Amino acid sequence: MRPDPSLADLPLRPELVGEEPYGAPQLPDVVLLNTNENPYPPSEAIIADMARAVAQAAAGVNRYPDREAVVLRTALAAYLGHGLDASRVWAANGSNEVMTHVLGAFAGPGRTVLTFSPTYSMYPEYARNTHSGYVVVPRRPDYAIDPAEALAAIAEHQPSVVIITTPNNPTGTTTALEVTREIVAGTDAIVVVDEAYQEFSRTPEQTALTLLGEFGNLVVARTMSKAFALAGGRVGYLAAAPAIVDACRIVRLPYHLSAQTQALALVALAHAPEMLAQVDLLRQVRNDLLRRLPELGVEVVASDANFCLFGRFADRHDVWQRILARGVLVREVGPPGWLRVSVGTPEQTEQFYDALAGALEGIR
Ligand code: PMP
């Protein structure tokens, strides 16, 4: 083969032909409200602790890191509470990788992953990458999941993995614990409740963690990327029965979590109250969005996350572009006509209101 072949010259898997890599734009010099990050960096004191911990890890970097990340999993279990210990917690590079482990272990060729649309845009990619089938069941118009419809779809499609996202991305809506219970109780499939945004909920204590003692097929997935303000550290985790953790250990790459990653996450967990200190403020800014967006003449979906879906626009790409032209990057995602804005600092969110008002002036 000639040097520098094109993709078409290479034996790419047929299902990857024409696929684009996942990517929300990462633009310089704009207000970034497009990937649901926490806008607050850690304090100087925590940064100094992180630097010390990374330096310490560097002193042993000739050795592989703890393959089982036991110290980190123990700290994550302590953070979650609910009587969990390291045997019931698994961690990886973002909940993206945790989910890939779950699908690698429990889905795969000839098997199906079922979830409820609209939902997180990465799920079909996890399914594709693990050679799994992917089926979506539409949510109700208010984006709630109908448990009877869910169970009927599970009976029809026989998925080996079901994903319930609550609060859901991109809608921000929650699934009541009773609905989750009904679905988990009605199937032997692995049911993953993706609680990436749980800490932002008005009722964070209504977590599927409370159901773990009852259901051996339940997985609760979490991330340190959002409320914990550690998106750059890349740590996600799950809580489940020890056998499910063991299954993830079979499919993970050896030494998947670097020593530096483990060290950073441990420092963040040791400072959990401080790392999470801005969550209340972000909730308030979110609640302001729910109140102020209708005042600007746009609809907004009731959100329990650190983002809001707003619309509806005849040409959402045009509105997205007009907002960006005013220095604010939001996300063009979700059902047609809607855009999603992440909750920023109060100042960033004011910039968003101004940008949106300016963008709409030319249209209405
Ligand atoms: N689940 C949901 C619903 C998400 O929105 C995201 C991030 N946008 C993730 C999982 C993945 O987060 P991470 O890999 O950063 O932990």
Side-chain angles (χ1 to χ4, degrees):
M1 191 179 295
R2 64 184 169 84
D4 291 334
S6 74
L7 259 188
D9 299 326
L10 297 169
L12 189 67
R13 279 164 47 195
E15 65 272 31
L16 299 182
V17 171
E19 292 280 284
E20 296 282 337
Y22 167 87
Q26 293 187 306
L27 303 180
D29 305 324
V30 293
V31 179
L32 293 171
L33 298 179
N34 69 332
T35 51
N36 305 339
E37 293 151 328
N38 190 316
Y40 293 100
S43 67
E44 289 300 326
I46 295 180
I47 294 170
D49 270 7
M50 286 178 168
R52 262 192 300 275
V54 169
Q56 225 168 41
V61 81
N62 54 311
R63 300 287 178 193
Y64 287 113
D66 175 9
R67 203 170 40 217
E68 307 299 345
V70 174
V71 178
L72 175 58
R73 285 161 58 204
T74 303
L76 288 166
Y79 166 68
L80 286 177
H82 296 274
L84 293 164
D85 60 27
S87 73
R88 294 174 185 275
V89 171
W90 182 240
N93 293 283
S95 70
N96 281 157
E97 191 181 39
V98 170
M99 297 287 286
T100 305
H101 288 166
V102 172
L103 266 53
F106 295 105
R111 293 182 166 200
T112 300
V113 177
L114 181 146
T115 188
F116 305 93
S117 61
T119 193
Y120 184 37
S121 57
M122 278 298 293
Y123 297 146
E125 302 197 16
Y126 304 155
R128 182 200 65 201
N129 291 353
T130 56
H131 311 262
S132 315
Y134 183 70
V135 171
V136 291
V137 179
R139 289 164 180 263
R140 290 191 198 138
D142 64 357
Y143 304 121
I145 296 172
D146 182 315
E149 267 177 39
L151 287 173
I154 289 169
E156 181 188 345
H157 298 286
Q158 297 287 315
S160 59
V161 178
V162 175
I163 307 174
I164 299 173
T165 317
T166 180
N168 184 41
N169 180 6
T171 60
T173 50
T174 55
T175 295
L177 212 46
E178 275 318 301
V179 172
T180 299
R181 178 200 292 276
E182 211 176 314
I183 295 170
V184 185
T187 179
D188 283 333
I190 300 289
V191 178
V192 182
V193 181
D194 185 346
E195 294 190 348
Y197 300 97
Q198 185 67 17
E199 291 96 336
F200 296 106
S201 164
R202 279 164 296 182
T203 51
E205 68 288 350
Q206 299 266 313
T207 159
L209 292 171
T210 59
L211 303 178
L212 279 173
E214 287 174 65
F215 301 108
N217 56 330
L218 176 63
V219 173
V220 183
R222 294 274 185 109
T223 179
M224 295 186 77
S225 296
K226 311 295 179 179
F228 242 100
L230 202 75
R234 307 304 300 126
V235 178
Y237 53 104
L238 64 71
I244 291 180
V245 171
D246 287 343
C248 290
R249 292 172 55 230
I250 294 173
V251 296
R252 61 108 158 83
L253 294 174
Y255 315 109
H256 66 295
L257 264 183
S258 83
Q260 280 70 17
T261 300
Q262 296 186 42
L264 270 186
L266 278 169
V267 172
L269 284 160
H271 295 282
E274 211 180 326
M275 294 296 287
L276 291 160
Q278 308 303 338
V279 168
D280 277 347
L281 172 61
L282 293 169
R283 270 203 215 107
Q284 278 173 34
V285 177
R286 188 251 341 267
N287 293 343
D288 283 350
L289 276 165
L290 297 179
R291 190 174 48 78
R292 282 182 61 180
L293 282 170
E295 290 171 9
L296 287 173
V298 299
E299 279 179 74
V300 61
V301 178
S303 170
D304 267 285
N306 68 334
F307 54 82
C308 290
L309 197 63
F310 66 100
R312 300 173 209 178
F313 306 112
D315 183 350
R316 76 168 171 188
H317 183 71
D318 177 51
V319 179
W320 176 83
Q321 196 100 53
R322 286 164 181 268
I323 296 172
L324 181 57
R326 289 164 176 80
V328 180
L329 181 61
V330 299
R331 189 75 177 270
E332 200 178 344
V333 71
W338 295 89
L339 295 170
R340 192 191 69 193
V341 61
S342 307
V343 175
T345 63
E347 299 72 33
Q348 292 171 334
T349 309
E350 286 303 326
Q351 283 174 279
F352 162 69
Y353 290 129
D354 288 348
L356 176 62
L360 294 179
E361 246 166 48
I363 302 174
R364 292 176 167 169

